[in-house]
Amino acid sequence: MVDVSQLAEPGSPEELLVRRLDLDALPRHVALIMDGNGRWAQQRGRPRVEGHKAGVAAVRDVVEASAQLGLEVLTLYAFSTENWRRPRYEIWTLMNLLKEYLRRELDNLKSNDIRFHVLGRWRELDDS
């Protein structure tokens, strides 16, 4: 059973939302399209890469909350075929952020019985 009191800091704006959660009504599978990190950074006068780094932190939060809520499947749509048209440096940065995240979080993923699957054209990814 999920202890919803652990999902938000007491007195935080999120606490009211968490208290209103109906855990029995939550879906088993949630899919998110990860979009807008570059725009988020640009709107704040930062390089697009900083937005992608902030997106990594957001992914960690989403994965943790999903596990805490007992979500069975979380799908993150992170890199579309259109993304290959981005500047080479941005693609390189995105791929390296993914590798860094997986290396850093691998033990945590394993210990929480979280499986990572790549969907789509995974053969187009660098072997590393």
Short mmCIF file of all heavy atoms in Angstrom, two decimals, residues 26-61:
data_model
loop_
_atom_site.label_atom_id
_atom_site.label_comp_id
_atom_site.label_asym_id
_atom_site.label_seq_id
_atom_site.Cartn_x
_atom_site.Cartn_y
_atom_site.Cartn_z
N LEU A 26 -6.09 5.45 -10.14
CA LEU A 26 -4.91 5.73 -10.95
C LEU A 26 -4.77 4.69 -12.06
O LEU A 26 -5.05 3.52 -11.86
CB LEU A 26 -3.65 5.71 -10.08
CG LEU A 26 -3.51 6.84 -9.07
CD1 LEU A 26 -2.23 6.66 -8.26
CD2 LEU A 26 -3.50 8.19 -9.75
N PRO A 27 -4.29 5.12 -13.22
CA PRO A 27 -4.08 4.15 -14.31
C PRO A 27 -2.88 3.26 -14.00
O PRO A 27 -2.03 3.58 -13.17
CB PRO A 27 -3.79 5.05 -15.53
CG PRO A 27 -3.26 6.31 -14.95
CD PRO A 27 -3.94 6.48 -13.61
N ARG A 28 -2.81 2.15 -14.68
CA ARG A 28 -1.67 1.24 -14.54
C ARG A 28 -0.49 1.69 -15.39
O ARG A 28 0.65 1.38 -15.09
CB ARG A 28 -2.08 -0.17 -14.95
CG ARG A 28 -3.10 -0.78 -14.00
CD ARG A 28 -3.57 -2.16 -14.43
NE ARG A 28 -2.54 -2.93 -15.08
CZ ARG A 28 -2.77 -3.78 -16.08
NH1 ARG A 28 -3.98 -3.98 -16.53
NH2 ARG A 28 -1.78 -4.45 -16.63
N HIS A 29 -0.79 2.42 -16.47
CA HIS A 29 0.24 2.83 -17.42
C HIS A 29 0.05 4.32 -17.72
O HIS A 29 -1.04 4.75 -18.08
CB HIS A 29 0.10 2.02 -18.71
CG HIS A 29 1.14 2.33 -19.75
ND1 HIS A 29 1.19 1.65 -20.93
CD2 HIS A 29 2.15 3.21 -19.79
CE1 HIS A 29 2.19 2.10 -21.66
NE2 HIS A 29 2.78 3.06 -20.98
N VAL A 30 1.13 5.07 -17.58
CA VAL A 30 1.13 6.50 -17.92
C VAL A 30 2.24 6.73 -18.94
O VAL A 30 3.34 6.20 -18.79
CB VAL A 30 1.36 7.37 -16.66
CG1 VAL A 30 1.58 8.83 -17.05
CG2 VAL A 30 0.20 7.25 -15.69
N ALA A 31 1.94 7.50 -19.95
CA ALA A 31 2.93 7.85 -20.97
C ALA A 31 3.07 9.37 -21.00
O ALA A 31 2.08 10.10 -20.94
CB ALA A 31 2.51 7.33 -22.33
N LEU A 32 4.31 9.82 -21.05
CA LEU A 32 4.60 11.25 -21.08
C LEU A 32 5.45 11.57 -22.30
O LEU A 32 6.39 10.84 -22.62
CB LEU A 32 5.38 11.68 -19.83
CG LEU A 32 4.70 11.43 -18.49
CD1 LEU A 32 5.66 11.77 -17.36
CD2 LEU A 32 3.44 12.26 -18.37
N ILE A 33 5.14 12.68 -22.94
CA ILE A 33 5.97 13.18 -24.03
C ILE A 33 6.87 14.24 -23.42
O ILE A 33 6.39 15.24 -22.90
CB ILE A 33 5.12 13.77 -25.16
CG1 ILE A 33 4.22 12.69 -25.76
CG2 ILE A 33 6.01 14.41 -26.23
CD1 ILE A 33 3.20 13.22 -26.76
N MET A 34 8.15 13.98 -23.48
CA MET A 34 9.12 14.93 -22.93
C MET A 34 9.41 15.97 -24.00
O MET A 34 10.10 15.70 -24.97
CB MET A 34 10.38 14.18 -22.50
CG MET A 34 10.11 13.18 -21.40
SD MET A 34 11.47 12.06 -21.08
CE MET A 34 12.83 13.16 -20.88
N ASP A 35 8.87 17.16 -23.79
CA ASP A 35 8.99 18.19 -24.81
C ASP A 35 9.07 19.55 -24.12
O ASP A 35 8.48 19.75 -23.06
CB ASP A 35 7.78 18.15 -25.74
CG ASP A 35 7.92 19.06 -26.94
OD1 ASP A 35 9.06 19.23 -27.42
OD2 ASP A 35 6.91 19.61 -27.38
N GLY A 36 9.80 20.45 -24.71
CA GLY A 36 9.81 21.82 -24.23
C GLY A 36 10.97 22.20 -23.33
O GLY A 36 11.03 23.33 -22.85
N ASN A 37 11.92 21.29 -23.12
CA ASN A 37 13.05 21.63 -22.25
C ASN A 37 13.91 22.75 -22.83
O ASN A 37 14.34 23.64 -22.11
CB ASN A 37 13.91 20.40 -21.98
CG ASN A 37 13.19 19.36 -21.16
OD1 ASN A 37 12.45 19.69 -20.25
ND2 ASN A 37 13.41 18.10 -21.48
N GLY A 38 14.14 22.68 -24.14
CA GLY A 38 14.92 23.73 -24.79
C GLY A 38 14.22 25.07 -24.73
O GLY A 38 14.83 26.11 -24.45
N ARG A 39 12.92 25.07 -24.98
CA ARG A 39 12.13 26.31 -24.90
C ARG A 39 12.13 26.85 -23.47
O ARG A 39 12.22 28.06 -23.25
CB ARG A 39 10.71 26.08 -25.39
CG ARG A 39 10.62 25.95 -26.90
CD ARG A 39 9.16 25.87 -27.37
NE ARG A 39 8.46 24.71 -26.84
CZ ARG A 39 8.54 23.49 -27.36
NH1 ARG A 39 9.30 23.26 -28.40
NH2 ARG A 39 7.85 22.49 -26.84
N TRP A 40 12.00 25.95 -22.49
CA TRP A 40 12.02 26.34 -21.08
C TRP A 40 13.31 27.11 -20.78
O TRP A 40 13.28 28.16 -20.15
CB TRP A 40 11.92 25.09 -20.21
CG TRP A 40 12.01 25.32 -18.74
CD1 TRP A 40 10.99 25.58 -17.88
CD2 TRP A 40 13.21 25.31 -17.93
NE1 TRP A 40 11.47 25.73 -16.60
CE2 TRP A 40 12.83 25.58 -16.61
CE3 TRP A 40 14.55 25.11 -18.21
CZ2 TRP A 40 13.74 25.65 -15.56
CZ3 TRP A 40 15.47 25.19 -17.18
CH2 TRP A 40 15.06 25.45 -15.88
N ALA A 41 14.44 26.59 -21.24
CA ALA A 41 15.73 27.24 -21.00
C ALA A 41 15.81 28.58 -21.72
O ALA A 41 16.25 29.58 -21.14
CB ALA A 41 16.86 26.32 -21.44
N GLN A 42 15.41 28.59 -22.98
CA GLN A 42 15.48 29.83 -23.76
C GLN A 42 14.63 30.93 -23.15
O GLN A 42 15.02 32.09 -23.13
CB GLN A 42 15.07 29.57 -25.21
CG GLN A 42 16.15 28.83 -25.99
CD GLN A 42 15.74 28.54 -27.42
OE1 GLN A 42 14.60 28.20 -27.70
NE2 GLN A 42 16.70 28.68 -28.32
N GLN A 43 13.46 30.59 -22.63
CA GLN A 43 12.59 31.58 -22.00
C GLN A 43 13.23 32.18 -20.75
O GLN A 43 12.86 33.25 -20.30
CB GLN A 43 11.24 30.96 -21.64
CG GLN A 43 10.39 30.64 -22.85
CD GLN A 43 9.19 29.78 -22.50
OE1 GLN A 43 9.04 29.27 -21.40
NE2 GLN A 43 8.32 29.58 -23.49
N ARG A 44 14.20 31.47 -20.18
CA ARG A 44 14.90 31.93 -18.99
C ARG A 44 16.28 32.48 -19.31
O ARG A 44 17.08 32.73 -18.42
CB ARG A 44 14.99 30.78 -17.98
CG ARG A 44 13.65 30.47 -17.35
CD ARG A 44 13.57 29.09 -16.75
NE ARG A 44 12.27 28.85 -16.14
CZ ARG A 44 11.14 28.60 -16.79
NH1 ARG A 44 11.14 28.55 -18.11
NH2 ARG A 44 10.01 28.41 -16.14
N GLY A 45 16.55 32.64 -20.61
CA GLY A 45 17.83 33.19 -21.04
C GLY A 45 19.00 32.25 -20.85
O GLY A 45 20.14 32.68 -20.74
N ARG A 46 18.72 30.96 -20.82
CA ARG A 46 19.77 29.96 -20.62
C ARG A 46 19.97 29.17 -21.91
O ARG A 46 19.08 29.10 -22.75
CB ARG A 46 19.37 29.00 -19.51
CG ARG A 46 19.17 29.67 -18.18
CD ARG A 46 18.75 28.66 -17.14
NE ARG A 46 18.47 29.31 -15.88
CZ ARG A 46 17.85 28.72 -14.88
NH1 ARG A 46 17.44 27.46 -14.99
NH2 ARG A 46 17.63 29.36 -13.76
N PRO A 47 21.12 28.51 -22.04
CA PRO A 47 21.33 27.66 -23.23
C PRO A 47 20.34 26.48 -23.23
O PRO A 47 19.93 26.01 -22.17
CB PRO A 47 22.76 27.14 -23.05
CG PRO A 47 23.39 27.96 -21.99
CD PRO A 47 22.28 28.56 -21.17
N ARG A 48 19.97 26.03 -24.41
CA ARG A 48 19.03 24.91 -24.53
C ARG A 48 19.49 23.69 -23.74
O ARG A 48 18.68 22.97 -23.16
CB ARG A 48 18.86 24.53 -26.01
CG ARG A 48 18.08 25.54 -26.82
CD ARG A 48 17.95 25.13 -28.27
NE ARG A 48 17.29 23.86 -28.45
CZ ARG A 48 15.97 23.67 -28.47
NH1 ARG A 48 15.16 24.70 -28.32
NH2 ARG A 48 15.46 22.47 -28.66
N VAL A 49 20.80 23.48 -23.70
CA VAL A 49 21.35 22.32 -22.99
C VAL A 49 20.95 22.35 -21.52
O VAL A 49 20.69 21.31 -20.91
CB VAL A 49 22.89 22.30 -23.16
CG1 VAL A 49 23.53 21.27 -22.25
CG2 VAL A 49 23.25 22.02 -24.60
N GLU A 50 20.89 23.53 -20.92
CA GLU A 50 20.48 23.64 -19.52
C GLU A 50 19.04 23.15 -19.33
O GLU A 50 18.71 22.57 -18.30
CB GLU A 50 20.63 25.07 -19.02
CG GLU A 50 22.06 25.52 -18.88
CD GLU A 50 22.87 24.63 -17.95
OE1 GLU A 50 22.40 24.31 -16.84
OE2 GLU A 50 23.98 24.24 -18.35
N GLY A 51 18.21 23.37 -20.32
CA GLY A 51 16.85 22.86 -20.26
C GLY A 51 16.81 21.35 -20.29
O GLY A 51 16.03 20.71 -19.57
N HIS A 52 17.67 20.76 -21.08
CA HIS A 52 17.74 19.30 -21.15
C HIS A 52 18.24 18.73 -19.82
O HIS A 52 17.75 17.70 -19.36
CB HIS A 52 18.61 18.84 -22.31
CG HIS A 52 18.10 19.30 -23.64
ND1 HIS A 52 16.79 19.14 -24.04
CD2 HIS A 52 18.74 19.92 -24.66
CE1 HIS A 52 16.64 19.64 -25.25
NE2 HIS A 52 17.80 20.13 -25.65
N LYS A 53 19.19 19.40 -19.20
CA LYS A 53 19.68 18.95 -17.89
C LYS A 53 18.58 19.05 -16.84
O LYS A 53 18.45 18.17 -15.99
CB LYS A 53 20.90 19.77 -17.48
CG LYS A 53 22.13 19.44 -18.29
CD LYS A 53 23.32 20.27 -17.87
CE LYS A 53 24.53 19.94 -18.73
NZ LYS A 53 25.69 20.77 -18.39
N ALA A 54 17.79 20.11 -16.90
CA ALA A 54 16.66 20.23 -15.97
C ALA A 54 15.64 19.13 -16.24
O ALA A 54 15.00 18.63 -15.30
CB ALA A 54 16.01 21.61 -16.12
N GLY A 55 15.51 18.74 -17.50
CA GLY A 55 14.60 17.65 -17.85
C GLY A 55 15.02 16.33 -17.22
O GLY A 55 14.18 15.53 -16.82
N VAL A 56 16.32 16.11 -17.08
CA VAL A 56 16.81 14.89 -16.43
C VAL A 56 16.35 14.85 -14.97
O VAL A 56 15.90 13.82 -14.48
CB VAL A 56 18.36 14.80 -16.53
CG1 VAL A 56 18.91 13.69 -15.65
CG2 VAL A 56 18.78 14.59 -17.98
N ALA A 57 16.44 15.98 -14.30
CA ALA A 57 15.99 16.05 -12.90
C ALA A 57 14.49 15.79 -12.82
O ALA A 57 14.01 15.10 -11.92
CB ALA A 57 16.33 17.41 -12.30
N ALA A 58 13.74 16.32 -13.79
CA ALA A 58 12.29 16.10 -13.81
C ALA A 58 11.97 14.62 -14.04
O ALA A 58 11.05 14.08 -13.42
CB ALA A 58 11.64 16.97 -14.89
N VAL A 59 12.74 13.97 -14.90
CA VAL A 59 12.53 12.54 -15.15
C VAL A 59 12.74 11.74 -13.87
O VAL A 59 11.95 10.86 -13.54
CB VAL A 59 13.47 12.02 -16.27
CG1 VAL A 59 13.54 10.51 -16.29
CG2 VAL A 59 13.00 12.53 -17.62
N ARG A 60 13.78 12.07 -13.14
CA ARG A 60 14.05 11.36 -11.88
C ARG A 60 12.85 11.51 -10.94
O ARG A 60 12.41 10.55 -10.32
CB ARG A 60 15.32 11.88 -11.23
CG ARG A 60 15.73 11.04 -10.04
CD ARG A 60 17.07 11.49 -9.47
NE ARG A 60 17.76 10.43 -8.80
CZ ARG A 60 17.43 9.96 -7.61
NH1 ARG A 60 16.38 10.42 -6.98
NH2 ARG A 60 18.12 9.00 -7.04
N ASP A 61 12.34 12.72 -10.82
CA ASP A 61 11.18 12.97 -9.95
C ASP A 61 9.97 12.15 -10.41
O ASP A 61 9.26 11.57 -9.60
CB ASP A 61 10.82 14.46 -9.94
CG ASP A 61 11.85 15.31 -9.22
OD1 ASP A 61 12.70 14.75 -8.49
OD2 ASP A 61 11.80 16.55 -9.40
#
